[in-house]
Amino acid sequence: MPERRPASDDTVLMRWMRTEVAKINEGIVTERKSLDQLLHEEKPATRTKTGTEYFFNVEVLRLFREKLSADLRYELKLPMIFFSNPSVPDSCYTNDPHALQALQALGDLSGMRRMQHGKLWVGRAIAYSIMKKYPTAVQIAMG
């Protein structure tokens, strides 16, 4: 019979952190919808990982309709998702080029920003500020 070693503190901590991150991410949507699609729904919504309905703020959707081009309304999937990783504590990223275009068109990110290696990194404070400005249109997933 193989010898069983007690788990190290690091292993126990990492297991606990994965469990907590999974709980935090339960509110992340499983299906992102285009802005155009959401604008045509009577009650714009999608579902989260737990299966609960995730309703979009209609005022934010209307603002996006006014400010974004027809092509971008068709291409942009909501909510925009920023990914946060404990190994990069002060930043998060999106891998969605349409989110970058939308945030630039809305004036929240500089037109000088570019994606590098398929990701756009921003300071965590900027991501949270954008999420607060556009309730329900932005989510932050923990990695």
Side-chain angles (χ1 to χ4, degrees):
M1 179 179 258
E3 178 185 337
R4 251 186 111 180
R5 290 189 215 158
S8 72
D9 288 345
D10 289 345
T11 304
V12 171
L13 179 62
M14 291 307 294
R15 275 192 218 141
W16 175 78
M17 286 177 61
R18 277 193 296 273
T19 301
E20 292 303 311
V21 166
K23 287 179 189 175
I24 290 169
N25 285 339
E26 286 177 350
I28 301 297
V29 300
T30 56
E31 177 193 6
R32 296 169 61 216
K33 295 181 179 180
S34 74
L35 172 59
D36 190 54
Q37 181 180 359
L38 291 167
L39 288 166
H40 286 93
E41 293 181 7
E42 188 176 322
K43 291 183 179 179
T46 189
R47 296 229 173 253
T48 66
K49 289 182 177 187
T50 60
T52 58
E53 280 192 299
Y54 181 90
F55 291 99
F56 288 89
N57 182 310
V58 177
E59 293 303 315
V60 171
L61 298 179
R62 288 182 185 143
L63 173 69
F64 285 7
R65 179 181 56 208
E66 292 172 17
K67 303 277 186 181
L68 303 179
S69 70
D71 286 343
L72 195 48
R73 288 192 304 263
Y74 178 77
E75 295 291 337
L76 178 65
K77 303 287 189 233
L78 294 177
M80 294 178 261
I81 299 180
F82 283 94
F83 299 91
S84 179
N85 189 312
S87 65
V88 187
D90 61 345
S91 299
C92 34
Y93 70 90
T94 183
N95 55 9
D96 182 350
H98 300 108
L100 170 59
Q101 291 174 354
L103 292 169
Q104 288 174 326
L106 292 163
D108 295 294
L109 293 177
S110 162
M112 302 287 289
R113 287 195 180 255
R114 300 284 179 257
M115 296 188 81
Q116 294 181 5
H117 307 290
K119 295 178 181 177
L120 170 75
W121 287 90
V122 298
R124 189 174 288 179
I126 292 171
Y128 277 93
S129 160
I130 292 169
M131 185 174 72
K132 185 176 179 180
K133 185 174 180 180
Y134 306 117
T136 70
V138 177
Q139 289 189 315
I140 298 180
M142 301 298 187

